[in-house]
PDB file of all heavy atoms in Angstrom:
ATOM      1  N   GLY A   5      87.995 -58.753 126.670  1.00 98.00           N
ATOM      2  CA  GLY A   5      86.909 -58.798 127.641  1.00 98.00           C
ATOM      3  C   GLY A   5      85.634 -58.164 127.121  1.00 98.00           C
ATOM      4  O   GLY A   5      85.543 -57.748 125.955  1.00 98.00           O
ATOM      5  N   SER A   6      84.648 -58.096 128.018  1.00 98.00           N
ATOM      6  CA  SER A   6      83.326 -57.584 127.655  1.00 98.00           C
ATOM      7  C   SER A   6      82.838 -56.572 128.678  1.00 98.00           C
ATOM      8  O   SER A   6      83.207 -56.631 129.853  1.00 98.00           O
ATOM      9  CB  SER A   6      82.313 -58.733 127.579  1.00 98.00           C
ATOM     10  OG  SER A   6      82.658 -59.683 126.604  1.00 98.00           O
ATOM     11  N   LEU A   7      82.007 -55.670 128.192  1.00 98.00           N
ATOM     12  CA  LEU A   7      81.292 -54.728 129.044  1.00 98.00           C
ATOM     13  C   LEU A   7      79.910 -54.519 128.459  1.00 98.00           C
ATOM     14  O   LEU A   7      79.722 -54.654 127.239  1.00 98.00           O
ATOM     15  CB  LEU A   7      82.008 -53.378 129.119  1.00 98.00           C
ATOM     16  CG  LEU A   7      83.270 -53.271 129.967  1.00 98.00           C
ATOM     17  CD1 LEU A   7      83.910 -51.895 129.758  1.00 98.00           C
ATOM     18  CD2 LEU A   7      82.982 -53.501 131.431  1.00 98.00           C
ATOM     19  N   ARG A   8      78.968 -54.144 129.324  1.00 98.00           N
ATOM     20  CA  ARG A   8      77.630 -53.809 128.852  1.00 98.00           C
ATOM     21  C   ARG A   8      77.263 -52.431 129.365  1.00 98.00           C
ATOM     22  O   ARG A   8      77.240 -52.201 130.576  1.00 98.00           O
ATOM     23  CB  ARG A   8      76.609 -54.826 129.349  1.00 98.00           C
ATOM     24  CG  ARG A   8      75.219 -54.634 128.728  1.00 98.00           C
ATOM     25  CD  ARG A   8      74.211 -55.513 129.414  1.00 98.00           C
ATOM     26  NE  ARG A   8      72.957 -55.603 128.671  1.00 98.00           N
ATOM     27  CZ  ARG A   8      71.758 -55.759 129.237  1.00 98.00           C
ATOM     28  NH1 ARG A   8      71.667 -55.835 130.556  1.00 98.00           N
ATOM     29  NH2 ARG A   8      70.671 -55.844 128.503  1.00 98.00           N
ATOM     30  N   LEU A   9      76.982 -51.531 128.442  1.00 98.00           N
ATOM     31  CA  LEU A   9      76.565 -50.179 128.790  1.00 98.00           C
ATOM     32  C   LEU A   9      75.040 -50.094 128.765  1.00 98.00           C
ATOM     33  O   LEU A   9      74.387 -50.734 127.945  1.00 98.00           O
ATOM     34  CB  LEU A   9      77.142 -49.158 127.817  1.00 98.00           C
ATOM     35  CG  LEU A   9      78.657 -49.165 127.617  1.00 98.00           C
ATOM     36  CD1 LEU A   9      79.057 -48.042 126.654  1.00 98.00           C
ATOM     37  CD2 LEU A   9      79.381 -49.030 128.926  1.00 98.00           C
ATOM     38  N   SER A  10      74.512 -49.282 129.673  1.00 98.00           N
ATOM     39  CA  SER A  10      73.078 -49.027 129.714  1.00 98.00           C
ATOM     40  C   SER A  10      72.845 -47.528 129.760  1.00 98.00           C
ATOM     41  O   SER A  10      73.648 -46.774 130.305  1.00 98.00           O
ATOM     42  CB  SER A  10      72.445 -49.657 130.956  1.00 98.00           C
ATOM     43  OG  SER A  10      72.603 -51.042 130.986  1.00 98.00           O
ATOM     44  N   CYS A  11      71.725 -47.107 129.193  1.00 97.00           N
ATOM     45  CA  CYS A  11      71.355 -45.689 129.212  1.00 97.00           C
ATOM     46  C   CYS A  11      69.844 -45.624 129.374  1.00 97.00           C
ATOM     47  O   CYS A  11      69.101 -46.052 128.487  1.00 97.00           O
ATOM     48  CB  CYS A  11      71.790 -45.004 127.930  1.00 97.00           C
ATOM     49  SG  CYS A  11      71.261 -43.282 127.801  1.00 97.00           S
ATOM     50  N   ALA A  12      69.413 -45.086 130.508  1.00 96.00           N
ATOM     51  CA  ALA A  12      67.989 -44.992 130.799  1.00 96.00           C
ATOM     52  C   ALA A  12      67.526 -43.552 130.673  1.00 96.00           C
ATOM     53  O   ALA A  12      68.165 -42.629 131.191  1.00 96.00           O
ATOM     54  CB  ALA A  12      67.706 -45.504 132.211  1.00 96.00           C
ATOM     55  N   ALA A  13      66.416 -43.369 129.983  1.00 94.00           N
ATOM     56  CA  ALA A  13      65.853 -42.036 129.775  1.00 94.00           C
ATOM     57  C   ALA A  13      64.660 -41.815 130.697  1.00 94.00           C
ATOM     58  O   ALA A  13      63.858 -42.722 130.926  1.00 94.00           O
ATOM     59  CB  ALA A  13      65.419 -41.875 128.327  1.00 94.00           C
ATOM     60  N   SER A  14      64.553 -40.602 131.193  1.00 89.00           N
ATOM     61  CA  SER A  14      63.403 -40.226 132.012  1.00 89.00           C
ATOM     62  C   SER A  14      62.965 -38.823 131.624  1.00 89.00           C
ATOM     63  O   SER A  14      63.692 -38.096 130.946  1.00 89.00           O
ATOM     64  CB  SER A  14      63.762 -40.269 133.500  1.00 89.00           C
ATOM     65  OG  SER A  14      64.804 -39.372 133.794  1.00 89.00           O
ATOM     66  N   GLY A  15      61.765 -38.459 132.055  1.00 86.00           N
ATOM     67  CA  GLY A  15      61.231 -37.154 131.697  1.00 86.00           C
ATOM     68  C   GLY A  15      60.212 -37.281 130.575  1.00 86.00           C
ATOM     69  O   GLY A  15      59.399 -38.197 130.584  1.00 86.00           O
ATOM     70  N   THR A  16      60.302 -36.406 129.586  1.00 75.00           N
ATOM     71  CA  THR A  16      59.350 -36.409 128.466  1.00 75.00           C
ATOM     72  C   THR A  16      59.792 -37.448 127.449  1.00 75.00           C
ATOM     73  O   THR A  16      60.473 -37.145 126.476  1.00 75.00           O
ATOM     74  CB  THR A  16      59.281 -35.015 127.825  1.00 75.00           C
ATOM     75  OG1 THR A  16      59.043 -34.040 128.833  1.00 75.00           O
ATOM     76  CG2 THR A  16      58.170 -34.970 126.789  1.00 75.00           C
ATOM     77  N   THR A  17      59.404 -38.676 127.681  1.00 69.00           N
ATOM     78  CA  THR A  17      59.903 -39.786 126.861  1.00 69.00           C
ATOM     79  C   THR A  17      58.814 -40.453 126.054  1.00 69.00           C
ATOM     80  O   THR A  17      59.011 -41.555 125.548  1.00 69.00           O
ATOM     81  CB  THR A  17      60.568 -40.836 127.765  1.00 69.00           C
ATOM     82  OG1 THR A  17      59.601 -41.296 128.724  1.00 69.00           O
ATOM     83  CG2 THR A  17      61.777 -40.278 128.483  1.00 69.00           C
ATOM     84  N   PHE A  18      57.672 -39.801 125.878  1.00 76.00           N
ATOM     85  CA  PHE A  18      56.554 -40.483 125.240  1.00 76.00           C
ATOM     86  C   PHE A  18      56.764 -40.706 123.755  1.00 76.00           C
ATOM     87  O   PHE A  18      56.027 -41.456 123.142  1.00 76.00           O
ATOM     88  CB  PHE A  18      55.256 -39.704 125.468  1.00 76.00           C
ATOM     89  CG  PHE A  18      55.267 -38.333 124.843  1.00 76.00           C
ATOM     90  CD1 PHE A  18      54.826 -38.136 123.535  1.00 76.00           C
ATOM     91  CD2 PHE A  18      55.718 -37.237 125.561  1.00 76.00           C
ATOM     92  CE1 PHE A  18      54.848 -36.878 122.965  1.00 76.00           C
ATOM     93  CE2 PHE A  18      55.730 -35.981 124.992  1.00 76.00           C
ATOM     94  CZ  PHE A  18      55.293 -35.796 123.692  1.00 76.00           C
ATOM     95  N   SER A  19      57.780 -40.072 123.164  1.00 84.00           N
ATOM     96  CA  SER A  19      57.979 -40.227 121.727  1.00 84.00           C
ATOM     97  C   SER A  19      59.477 -40.359 121.394  1.00 84.00           C
ATOM     98  O   SER A  19      59.992 -39.605 120.581  1.00 84.00           O
ATOM     99  CB  SER A  19      57.380 -39.037 120.981  1.00 84.00           C
ATOM    100  OG  SER A  19      57.454 -39.248 119.576  1.00 84.00           O
ATOM    101  N   ILE A  20      60.120 -41.314 122.037  1.00 90.00           N
ATOM    102  CA  ILE A  20      61.540 -41.522 121.768  1.00 90.00           C
ATOM    103  C   ILE A  20      61.702 -42.182 120.409  1.00 90.00           C
ATOM    104  O   ILE A  20      61.054 -43.168 120.109  1.00 90.00           O
ATOM    105  CB  ILE A  20      62.187 -42.397 122.848  1.00 90.00           C
ATOM    106  CG1 ILE A  20      62.179 -41.671 124.184  1.00 90.00           C
ATOM    107  CG2 ILE A  20      63.622 -42.751 122.455  1.00 90.00           C
ATOM    108  CD1 ILE A  20      62.758 -42.487 125.326  1.00 90.00           C
ATOM    109  N   GLY A  21      62.566 -41.632 119.595  1.00 93.00           N
ATOM    110  CA  GLY A  21      62.853 -42.207 118.292  1.00 93.00           C
ATOM    111  C   GLY A  21      64.121 -43.037 118.340  1.00 93.00           C
ATOM    112  O   GLY A  21      64.270 -43.920 119.163  1.00 93.00           O
ATOM    113  N   THR A  22      65.050 -42.698 117.477  1.00 95.00           N
ATOM    114  CA  THR A  22      66.298 -43.433 117.416  1.00 95.00           C
ATOM    115  C   THR A  22      67.110 -43.238 118.700  1.00 95.00           C
ATOM    116  O   THR A  22      67.160 -42.139 119.254  1.00 95.00           O
ATOM    117  CB  THR A  22      67.111 -42.987 116.207  1.00 95.00           C
ATOM    118  OG1 THR A  22      66.376 -43.285 115.011  1.00 95.00           O
ATOM    119  CG2 THR A  22      68.467 -43.694 116.150  1.00 95.00           C
ATOM    120  N   MET A  23      67.737 -44.320 119.143  1.00 96.00           N
ATOM    121  CA  MET A  23      68.633 -44.291 120.300  1.00 96.00           C
ATOM    122  C   MET A  23      69.989 -44.792 119.832  1.00 96.00           C
ATOM    123  O   MET A  23      70.059 -45.714 119.006  1.00 96.00           O
ATOM    124  CB  MET A  23      68.098 -45.174 121.433  1.00 96.00           C
ATOM    125  CG  MET A  23      66.676 -44.866 121.827  1.00 96.00           C
ATOM    126  SD  MET A  23      66.031 -45.976 123.103  1.00 96.00           S
ATOM    127  CE  MET A  23      66.665 -45.183 124.592  1.00 96.00           C
ATOM    128  N   GLY A  24      71.052 -44.206 120.348  1.00 97.00           N
ATOM    129  CA  GLY A  24      72.356 -44.612 119.857  1.00 97.00           C
ATOM    130  C   GLY A  24      73.469 -44.402 120.853  1.00 97.00           C
ATOM    131  O   GLY A  24      73.283 -43.807 121.919  1.00 97.00           O
ATOM    132  N   TRP A  25      74.625 -44.923 120.483  1.00 98.00           N
ATOM    133  CA  TRP A  25      75.846 -44.765 121.267  1.00 98.00           C
ATOM    134  C   TRP A  25      76.928 -44.142 120.387  1.00 98.00           C
ATOM    135  O   TRP A  25      77.120 -44.568 119.241  1.00 98.00           O
ATOM    136  CB  TRP A  25      76.328 -46.110 121.796  1.00 98.00           C
ATOM    137  CG  TRP A  25      75.464 -46.680 122.863  1.00 98.00           C
ATOM    138  CD1 TRP A  25      74.439 -47.572 122.707  1.00 98.00           C
ATOM    139  CD2 TRP A  25      75.531 -46.393 124.261  1.00 98.00           C
ATOM    140  NE1 TRP A  25      73.863 -47.846 123.920  1.00 98.00           N
ATOM    141  CE2 TRP A  25      74.520 -47.133 124.899  1.00 98.00           C
ATOM    142  CE3 TRP A  25      76.340 -45.574 125.042  1.00 98.00           C
ATOM    143  CZ2 TRP A  25      74.299 -47.089 126.275  1.00 98.00           C
ATOM    144  CZ3 TRP A  25      76.130 -45.527 126.407  1.00 98.00           C
ATOM    145  CH2 TRP A  25      75.120 -46.287 127.011  1.00 98.00           C
ATOM    146  N   TYR A  26      77.605 -43.160 120.930  1.00 98.00           N
ATOM    147  CA  TYR A  26      78.741 -42.523 120.296  1.00 98.00           C
ATOM    148  C   TYR A  26      79.933 -42.672 121.240  1.00 98.00           C
ATOM    149  O   TYR A  26      79.772 -42.964 122.424  1.00 98.00           O
ATOM    150  CB  TYR A  26      78.468 -41.036 120.056  1.00 98.00           C
ATOM    151  CG  TYR A  26      77.462 -40.757 118.974  1.00 98.00           C
ATOM    152  CD1 TYR A  26      76.110 -41.044 119.142  1.00 98.00           C
ATOM    153  CD2 TYR A  26      77.870 -40.203 117.759  1.00 98.00           C
ATOM    154  CE1 TYR A  26      75.192 -40.786 118.134  1.00 98.00           C
ATOM    155  CE2 TYR A  26      76.954 -39.940 116.753  1.00 98.00           C
ATOM    156  CZ  TYR A  26      75.623 -40.231 116.941  1.00 98.00           C
ATOM    157  OH  TYR A  26      74.718 -39.978 115.942  1.00 98.00           O
ATOM    158  N   ARG A  27      81.120 -42.447 120.687  1.00 98.00           N
ATOM    159  CA  ARG A  27      82.303 -42.465 121.549  1.00 98.00           C
ATOM    160  C   ARG A  27      83.286 -41.398 121.095  1.00 98.00           C
ATOM    161  O   ARG A  27      83.304 -41.013 119.921  1.00 98.00           O
ATOM    162  CB  ARG A  27      82.965 -43.833 121.556  1.00 98.00           C
ATOM    163  CG  ARG A  27      83.579 -44.259 120.236  1.00 98.00           C
ATOM    164  CD  ARG A  27      84.082 -45.694 120.328  1.00 98.00           C
ATOM    165  NE  ARG A  27      84.699 -46.145 119.080  1.00 98.00           N
ATOM    166  CZ  ARG A  27      85.084 -47.399 118.858  1.00 98.00           C
ATOM    167  NH1 ARG A  27      84.919 -48.335 119.799  1.00 98.00           N
ATOM    168  NH2 ARG A  27      85.638 -47.728 117.702  1.00 98.00           N
ATOM    169  N   GLN A  28      84.096 -40.956 122.042  1.00 98.00           N
ATOM    170  CA  GLN A  28      85.114 -39.969 121.743  1.00 98.00           C
ATOM    171  C   GLN A  28      86.391 -40.340 122.472  1.00 98.00           C
ATOM    172  O   GLN A  28      86.431 -40.373 123.706  1.00 98.00           O
ATOM    173  CB  GLN A  28      84.660 -38.566 122.144  1.00 98.00           C
ATOM    174  CG  GLN A  28      85.601 -37.473 121.690  1.00 98.00           C
ATOM    175  CD  GLN A  28      84.977 -36.093 121.807  1.00 98.00           C
ATOM    176  OE1 GLN A  28      84.006 -35.883 122.519  1.00 98.00           O
ATOM    177  NE2 GLN A  28      85.554 -35.130 121.090  1.00 98.00           N
ATOM    178  N   ALA A  29      87.422 -40.618 121.692  1.00 96.00           N
ATOM    179  CA  ALA A  29      88.740 -40.910 122.247  1.00 96.00           C
ATOM    180  C   ALA A  29      89.530 -39.612 122.347  1.00 96.00           C
ATOM    181  O   ALA A  29      89.241 -38.641 121.640  1.00 96.00           O
ATOM    182  CB  ALA A  29      89.460 -41.911 121.355  1.00 96.00           C
ATOM    183  N   PRO A  30      90.542 -39.571 123.209  1.00 92.00           N
ATOM    184  CA  PRO A  30      91.341 -38.347 123.359  1.00 92.00           C
ATOM    185  C   PRO A  30      91.920 -37.889 122.031  1.00 92.00           C
ATOM    186  O   PRO A  30      92.504 -38.686 121.290  1.00 92.00           O
ATOM    187  CB  PRO A  30      92.446 -38.773 124.323  1.00 92.00           C
ATOM    188  CG  PRO A  30      91.845 -39.874 125.118  1.00 92.00           C
ATOM    189  CD  PRO A  30      90.953 -40.611 124.160  1.00 92.00           C
ATOM    190  N   GLY A  31      91.725 -36.618 121.715  1.00 95.00           N
ATOM    191  CA  GLY A  31      92.281 -36.062 120.493  1.00 95.00           C
ATOM    192  C   GLY A  31      91.525 -36.409 119.230  1.00 95.00           C
ATOM    193  O   GLY A  31      91.968 -36.058 118.130  1.00 95.00           O
TER     194      GLY A  31
END
């Protein structure tokens, strides 16, 4: 199957550089 993740930034965002996704599985 498929999923789509989103991540929205707010606040002091005038100079956002690299954006990324990390994951952590149990253990």
